[in-house]
Amino acid sequence: MTENLSILVWNEGVHEANNEPATMKEMYPEGIHGAIAEGLRVHLPEAYISTATLADPEHGLTEEALEATDVLLWWGHKAHAEVSDEVVDRVQRHVLGGMGLLVLHSGHFARIFTRLLGTTCSLKWRNEGERELVWTVKPSHPIAQGVPSPLVIPQQEMYGELFDIPDPDDLIFISSFEGGEVFRSGVTFTRGKGRIFYFSPGDQDYPVYHQAEIRQVLANAVRWAAQPEISRGQPAVSNHARGWYMQ
Amino acid sequence: MTENLSILVWNEGVHEANNEPATMKEMYPEGIHGAIAEGLRVHLPEAYISTATLADPEHGLTEEALEATDVLLWWGHKAHAEVSDEVVDRVQRHVLGGMGLLVLHSGHFARIFTRLLGTTCSLKWRNEGERELVWTVKPSHPIAQGVPSPLVIPQQEMYGELFDIPDPDDLIFISSFEGGEVFRSGVTFTRGKGRIFYFSPGDQDYPVYHQAEIRQVLANAVRWAAQPEISRGQPAVSNHARGWYMQ
Amino acid sequence: MTENLSILVWNEGVHEANNEPATMKEMYPEGIHGAIAEGLRVHLPEAYISTATLADPEHGLTEEALEATDVLLWWGHKAHAEVSDEVVDRVQRHVLGGMGLLVLHSGHFARIFTRLLGTTCSLKWRNEGERELVWTVKPSHPIAQGVPSPLVIPQQEMYGELFDIPDPDDLIFISSFEGGEVFRSGVTFTRGKGRIFYFSPGDQDYPVYHQAEIRQVLANAVRWAAQPEISRGQPAVSNHARGWYMQ
Amino acid sequence: MTENLSILVWNEGVHEANNEPATMKEMYPEGIHGAIAEGLRVHLPEAYISTATLADPEHGLTEEALEATDVLLWWGHKAHAEVSDEVVDRVQRHVLGGMGLLVLHSGHFARIFTRLLGTTCSLKWRNEGERELVWTVKPSHPIAQGVPSPLVIPQQEMYGELFDIPDPDDLIFISSFEGGEVFRSGVTFTRGKGRIFYFSPGDQDYPVYHQAEIRQVLANAVRWAAQPEISRGQPAVSNHARGWYMQ
């Protein structure tokens, strides 16, 4: 089922361009997007996996690129405001039309995420390298398959409630941090025909995307979000004569 | 609990200004907003109920007006595009901060509704005066209290699935029409701290807002959506030291 | 993914044994279970598909049979009370442990269904051969893939709201009938690690299970409900020392 | 709205009868039920609040008692198995008919709770007096009104995920414990016409029900679960002629 999937990993690429933090080049020599793509290749060897960044023409998110994409992954932090209106509109249209979308970590403030959810997506945070425990609360969900509970992340930025999102379709993971905060760290949404997954682990200061269990979650989520057989096209208003369905 | 509620009924007022359809003046001599307000006054005699329209300065939706409003009702059809960006932003901010919002009928395409939901909110439609049956599917919900199932509306515009909305928090009513279509006609959402109810009956061609059962639904919904004791203010991002909650 | 699936189609078999209605032998020469199994074989040619009935020893639902089953389909009507406590307990345990369960039509009153849902599962009904229209309201769900909206069933028993079930995880299909009633006809639930789908079309008086679109729905649902890789075993209480997850 | 509410606080009363733990008599001189009732009286001074225990005839849960009850609170731990089939059936019938039910702490294993939910309701636990932080994740819910986030409980038994419950209607509170576990500690369900709230704080070893914020939660929940105007009677199957609703 997954051999022909087309997956596009998007990263704003600003931390990489500035080598900020100073550990970036060593921790993520191919960029955060590179590490994510590498992890997906392990689990989805027959998929076509590419990357794009903010600096690419049209941020690498042209109509053609999105048409060819089954699942888009989104990592951003410093430069949400630099993503153009046109690209946000276009990505939204493709999600509503059936493209999968995985929003990662600080992407909670990405324009495409707040656009699709309608809320501030704000949260509490603290960056002190606390241990994060990711607990599975919906073990029957495809995204939880093969993921230990808890999934232990040695060091992460703390994200805490209140996470200002609409009630998710499915709440799969809840995280706790050493400081006692909790966070709905793995949640799904449907918008239009598209499936969306938000997953909070993955700060630029820690090598989270090299961790095997995190890669398992992302691969599961890509498989879950992909709908290669759906006809892309967002729902539209239409006028119908009585009994149109009998013809 | 309801004596001090402040309720604002908003209507674009374009059908009224144009007397279109020609039955408008007779059917709704005080406008659609006037009829809605009148119905609410029957059920909520001690509430403060006012109206506003698109033609008012800032559409009657100034910062001061919204600050003073517990629940805003929204009816629009012809002039969604004329609602200013500034007002849409402002209403969204107040909903996220805890103001209740009731979106009615063709308000499914109101900018504030698509903004809060993130989807197209498109649907199927046909205006042939078909009988609509509104069936209760969540009888324990406060909005369903005292409402017959089915609630029979002699003539209405048909709205049919697919209604492109996110999964609602609660699905309270499902309608069917003579032509066989169905519609999720009464649904709730939470966005930020605000409670939202969409209710589809209420076309300008039919005297729906004079019907006693419809008025019951709207009064129930106003009571449900109002949170007079909540401190208005949308959720915001914040940085916290470890153990901040112990101080 | 589906080649090794084991699917068990269960039918009480009482209508067949009594040839009641008199059309039964002609309409379902292999029984309702036989027709369902035949349809699944078209879509899942590499799955292992078997059938069982109430008259079999332990109703054909022995511990060994259930252990070997990925998805169980359940059709019953006349003889719900004859299903033994022991078998209901056993099926529940396997569902909570991860076995998929599809409950069909009059199975809404099956003991295993009311046991898992906790409600009466009652509904309105009328058997006059009305046309049923099955509308998709969650097009992104795997069970809706390739299913027309509406799916037109020429003749069916009417099932109408209030359908006394808990809020489903996902509402995929809503049906309407010529008489104007509506019904949540395709709904999912999770209980323990198991995935459950209820689908209402399928009365013994009409050849519903020969219809191609119905077979598509059931095959989709089997694929969705199957979790061949999950370790069967219902969740259990456990006592844990502090920090147990670090070992 | 609350002056006429009838509230029944049920406790098995076994810890009290055995003065086990030895702190029981001092911590809860009127029993756990007595302390709960006392807290409710502070918030609902005009309600009629009574208590009952396992040792009462029919456990104090006669048909007459339940008919007169708007909301039943349930605390049990040691003696779940001693609650009679007849009483479990009766309480279920009343909940489905519209009686509110609050299930507290170790009541997660109460027969009435597993009956209504259909799952094992199992969980992880550890009793070492850890600090519990109760975080609000749905601030718009009536049960969260006026409750600080986090609500700090100095010492509590740890309850941890996986909590084997169906997806709740609303997830209001998530707790964390010093040992790092998380728990969905405040969740609502609807079954039939009844509203159910489960709230996990409240172990017999700690004076949790004397804490002001806990009393606020319980009073909020009682108000939310009460439906004094609903006609008690669980949904039932019924046969209807075409167009019955037009008569």
Side-chain angles (χ1 to χ4, degrees):
Chain A
M1 296 284 283
T2 59
E3 55 262 45
N4 297 314
L5 287 188
S6 280
I7 303 165
L8 179 54
V9 182
W10 191 90
N11 177 10
E12 59 178 33
V14 174
H15 284 287
E16 290 84 352
N18 298 338
N19 196 36
E20 186 186 42
T23 52
M24 181 56 67
K25 270 214 182 81
E26 192 177 355
M27 192 183 292
Y28 288 124
E30 309 295 325
I32 288 173
H33 48 298
I36 292 171
E38 181 188 285
L40 292 176
R41 285 188 190 105
V42 173
H43 288 275
L44 305 164
E46 299 180 17
Y48 178 71
I49 299 170
S50 58
T51 64
T53 67
L54 184 67
D56 293 331
E58 302 187 47
H59 315 328
L61 299 169
T62 62
E63 185 65 29
E64 296 67 34
L66 294 178
E67 266 175 24
T69 297
D70 292 304
V71 181
L72 174 67
L73 293 92
W74 192 282
W75 199 100
H77 181 217
K78 292 286 193 190
H80 296 312
E82 295 174 37
V83 177
S84 74
D85 283 352
E86 194 184 354
V87 165
V88 175
D89 291 347
R90 191 186 293 153
V91 174
Q92 180 180 25
R93 181 163 43 79
H94 277 274
V95 171
L96 298 181
M99 183 179 72
L101 178 68
L102 273 55
V103 176
L104 304 175
H105 189 59
S106 43
H108 70 91
F109 268 158
R111 294 186 63 204
I112 183 60
F113 195 57
T114 57
R115 173 77 69 86
L116 286 161
L117 298 197
T119 56
T120 66
C121 301
S122 58
L123 46 75
K124 292 187 178 61
W125 66 277
R126 175 177 59 243
N127 197 350
E128 302 189 356
E130 293 165 68
R131 184 177 66 208
E132 176 173 356
L133 303 174
V134 185
W135 300 88
T136 297
V137 299
K138 187 145 189 171
S140 66
H141 198 284
I143 297 180
Q145 298 309 300
V147 179
S149 182
L151 188 173
V152 181
I153 304 175
Q155 289 197 299
Q156 245 289 95
E157 184 181 24
M158 184 282 287
Y159 272 12
E161 299 283 347
L162 178 75
F163 185 21
D164 179 31
I165 52 172
D167 279 9
D169 284 21
D170 283 305
L171 172 63
I172 306 172
F173 301 120
I174 297 174
S175 288
S176 69
F177 295 84
E178 287 179 81
E181 281 89 353
V182 301
F183 196 69
R184 288 170 290 172
S185 50
V187 287
T188 70
F189 303 92
T190 305
R191 290 296 179 275
K193 299 191 289 189
R195 299 175 190 159
I196 302 167
F197 178 60
Y198 173 79
F199 189 55
S200 65
D203 191 69
Q204 69 279 354
D205 281 350
Y206 313 102
V208 173
Y209 294 117
H210 293 301
Q211 193 169 335
E213 301 98 320
I214 298 293
R215 291 176 161 197
Q216 179 74 59
V217 170
L218 295 182
N220 287 350
V222 163
R223 280 195 202 95
W224 170 82
Q227 300 185 76
E229 293 166 20
I230 212 167
S231 73
R232 187 71 54 90
Q234 64 180 7
V237 70
S238 54
N239 181 235
H240 292 261
R242 271 222 210 185
W244 59 273
Y245 44 79
M246 297 306 293
Q247 286 146 20
Chain B
M1 297 283 284
T2 59
E3 55 260 46
N4 297 313
L5 287 187
S6 280
I7 303 166
L8 179 54
V9 183
W10 191 89
N11 177 13
E12 60 179 33
V14 174
H15 285 287
E16 290 83 352
N18 298 337
N19 198 34
E20 185 187 43
T23 53
M24 181 56 67
K25 270 215 181 81
E26 193 176 355
M27 191 183 292
Y28 288 123
E30 310 295 326
I32 289 174
H33 47 299
I36 293 171
E38 180 188 287
L40 292 176
R41 286 189 189 105
V42 173
H43 288 276
L44 304 165
E46 299 181 16
Y48 177 71
I49 300 171
S50 58
T51 64
T53 67
L54 184 67
D56 294 331
E58 302 187 48
H59 315 327
L61 300 168
T62 60
E63 184 66 29
E64 295 67 35
L66 294 178
E67 266 174 22
T69 297
D70 291 305
V71 181
L72 173 67
L73 293 91
W74 192 281
W75 199 100
H77 181 217
K78 292 286 193 191
H80 296 312
E82 295 174 38
V83 178
S84 75
D85 284 352
E86 194 184 354
V87 165
V88 175
D89 290 347
R90 191 185 294 154
V91 175
Q92 181 180 23
R93 182 163 43 79
H94 276 275
V95 171
L96 298 181
M99 183 179 73
L101 178 68
L102 273 55
V103 176
L104 304 175
H105 190 58
S106 43
H108 70 91
F109 269 157
R111 294 185 63 204
I112 183 60
F113 196 57
T114 57
R115 171 76 69 86
L116 286 162
L117 298 196
T119 57
T120 66
C121 299
S122 59
L123 46 74
K124 292 187 178 61
W125 65 277
R126 175 176 60 243
N127 196 350
E128 300 189 357
E130 293 165 68
R131 186 178 64 210
E132 176 173 356
L133 303 174
V134 184
W135 300 88
T136 297
V137 300
K138 186 146 188 169
S140 66
H141 199 283
I143 296 180
Q145 298 311 299
V147 179
S149 180
L151 187 172
V152 181
I153 303 175
Q155 290 197 300
Q156 245 289 94
E157 185 180 23
M158 184 282 288
Y159 273 12
E161 297 284 346
L162 179 74
F163 186 20
D164 179 30
I165 52 173
D167 279 9
D169 282 20
D170 282 305
L171 172 64
I172 305 171
F173 302 120
I174 297 174
S175 288
S176 71
F177 295 84
E178 287 180 81
E181 281 90 353
V182 300
F183 197 68
R184 288 169 290 173
S185 50
V187 287
T188 69
F189 302 93
T190 304
R191 290 296 179 273
K193 298 190 289 190
R195 299 176 190 158
I196 302 167
F197 178 60
Y198 174 80
F199 189 55
S200 65
D203 191 68
Q204 70 277 355
D205 281 350
Y206 314 101
V208 173
Y209 294 116
H210 293 300
Q211 194 169 336
E213 301 97 322
I214 298 292
R215 291 176 160 197
Q216 179 75 60
V217 170
L218 296 183
N220 287 349
V222 163
R223 279 195 204 94
W224 169 82
Q227 301 184 74
E229 293 166 19
I230 211 168
S231 73
R232 186 72 54 90
Q234 64 180 6
V237 70
S238 54
N239 181 235
H240 291 261
R242 272 224 208 182
W244 58 274
Y245 43 80
M246 296 306 293
Q247 287 147 18
Chain C
M1 296 286 284
T2 59
E3 56 261 44
N4 296 314
L5 287 187
S6 280
I7 303 166
L8 179 54
V9 183
W10 191 90
N11 176 12
E12 60 178 33
V14 173
H15 284 287
E16 290 83 352
N18 298 339
N19 197 36
E20 186 187 43
T23 53
M24 182 57 67
K25 270 215 181 79
E26 192 176 355
M27 192 183 292
Y28 288 123
E30 310 295 326
I32 289 174
H33 47 299
I36 292 171
E38 181 188 285
L40 291 176
R41 286 188 189 104
V42 172
H43 288 275
L44 304 165
E46 299 180 16
Y48 177 72
I49 300 171
S50 58
T51 64
T53 68
L54 184 67
D56 294 331
E58 302 188 47
H59 315 327
L61 300 168
T62 60
E63 184 66 29
E64 295 66 35
L66 294 178
E67 266 175 21
T69 297
D70 292 304
V71 182
L72 173 67
L73 293 91
W74 193 282
W75 199 101
H77 180 217
K78 292 287 193 191
H80 297 312
E82 295 174 38
V83 178
S84 75
D85 284 352
E86 193 184 353
V87 165
V88 175
D89 290 347
R90 191 186 292 153
V91 174
Q92 181 181 24
R93 182 163 43 78
H94 277 274
V95 171
L96 298 182
M99 182 178 74
L101 178 68
L102 273 56
V103 176
L104 304 174
H105 190 59
S106 43
H108 70 90
F109 269 158
R111 294 185 63 205
I112 183 59
F113 196 56
T114 56
R115 171 76 70 87
L116 286 161
L117 298 196
T119 57
T120 67
C121 299
S122 59
L123 46 74
K124 293 187 177 61
W125 66 277
R126 175 175 60 242
N127 196 351
E128 300 189 358
E130 293 163 69
R131 186 179 64 209
E132 176 174 356
L133 303 174
V134 184
W135 300 88
T136 297
V137 300
K138 187 146 188 171
S140 66
H141 198 283
I143 297 180
Q145 299 309 300
V147 178
S149 180
L151 188 172
V152 181
I153 304 175
Q155 289 197 301
Q156 245 288 96
E157 184 181 23
M158 184 284 287
Y159 273 12
E161 298 284 345
L162 179 75
F163 186 20
D164 178 30
I165 51 172
D167 279 9
D169 283 20
D170 283 306
L171 173 63
I172 305 172
F173 302 120
I174 297 173
S175 288
S176 70
F177 295 84
E178 287 179 82
E181 282 90 353
V182 300
F183 196 69
R184 288 169 290 172
S185 50
V187 286
T188 69
F189 302 93
T190 304
R191 290 295 180 274
K193 298 190 289 190
R195 299 175 190 158
I196 302 166
F197 178 60
Y198 174 80
F199 189 56
S200 65
D203 191 68
Q204 69 278 355
D205 281 350
Y206 313 102
V208 173
Y209 294 116
H210 292 301
Q211 193 169 335
E213 301 96 322
I214 298 292
R215 291 176 160 196
Q216 179 74 60
V217 170
L218 296 182
N220 288 349
V222 163
R223 280 195 204 95
W224 169 82
Q227 302 184 74
E229 293 167 20
I230 212 167
S231 73
R232 187 71 54 90
Q234 64 180 7
V237 71
S238 54
N239 181 235
H240 291 261
R242 273 224 208 181
W244 59 273
Y245 43 79
M246 295 306 294
Q247 286 146 19
Chain D
M1 296 284 283
T2 58
E3 56 261 46
N4 297 314
L5 288 187
S6 281
I7 303 166
L8 180 54
V9 183
W10 191 89
N11 177 11
E12 59 177 33
V14 175
H15 284 286
E16 289 84 351
N18 298 338
N19 196 35
E20 185 186 46
T23 53
M24 180 57 67
K25 268 213 183 83
E26 191 176 357
M27 192 182 293
Y28 288 123
E30 310 295 325
I32 288 174
H33 47 300
I36 293 171
E38 181 188 285
L40 292 176
R41 285 187 190 107
V42 172
H43 288 275
L44 304 165
E46 300 180 16
Y48 178 71
I49 299 170
S50 57
T51 64
T53 68
L54 184 66
D56 294 331
E58 302 188 49
H59 315 327
L61 300 168
T62 61
E63 184 65 28
E64 295 67 34
L66 294 178
E67 267 174 22
T69 297
D70 292 304
V71 181
L72 174 66
L73 293 92
W74 192 282
W75 199 100
H77 181 216
K78 291 285 192 193
H80 296 313
E82 295 173 38
V83 178
S84 75
D85 284 352
E86 193 183 355
V87 165
V88 175
D89 291 347
R90 190 185 294 154
V91 174
Q92 180 180 26
R93 182 164 42 78
H94 277 274
V95 171
L96 298 181
M99 183 179 72
L101 178 68
L102 273 55
V103 176
L104 303 175
H105 189 59
S106 43
H108 70 91
F109 268 158
R111 294 184 63 205
I112 183 60
F113 195 58
T114 57
R115 172 79 67 87
L116 286 161
L117 298 197
T119 56
T120 66
C121 300
S122 59
L123 45 74
K124 292 188 178 61
W125 65 278
R126 176 177 58 244
N127 197 350
E128 301 190 357
E130 293 165 69
R131 186 179 65 211
E132 176 173 356
L133 303 174
V134 184
W135 300 88
T136 297
V137 300
K138 187 147 188 169
S140 66
H141 199 284
I143 297 180
Q145 298 310 300
V147 179
S149 181
L151 188 173
V152 181
I153 304 175
Q155 288 197 300
Q156 246 289 96
E157 184 181 24
M158 184 281 289
Y159 272 13
E161 298 283 347
L162 179 74
F163 185 21
D164 179 31
I165 52 172
D167 280 9
D169 284 20
D170 282 304
L171 173 63
I172 305 172
F173 302 119
I174 297 174
S175 288
S176 70
F177 295 84
E178 287 178 81
E181 281 90 352
V182 300
F183 196 69
R184 287 170 291 171
S185 50
V187 287
T188 70
F189 302 92
T190 304
R191 289 296 180 273
K193 298 191 288 190
R195 300 176 189 157
I196 302 167
F197 178 60
Y198 174 80
F199 189 55
S200 65
D203 191 68
Q204 69 278 354
D205 281 350
Y206 312 102
V208 173
Y209 294 116
H210 293 301
Q211 193 168 337
E213 302 97 321
I214 298 292
R215 291 176 161 198
Q216 179 75 60
V217 170
L218 296 182
N220 288 349
V222 163
R223 280 195 203 95
W224 169 82
Q227 301 184 76
E229 293 166 19
I230 212 167
S231 73
R232 186 72 54 91
Q234 64 179 8
V237 71
S238 54
N239 182 235
H240 291 260
R242 271 222 210 184
W244 59 274
Y245 43 79
M246 295 306 294
Q247 286 146 20

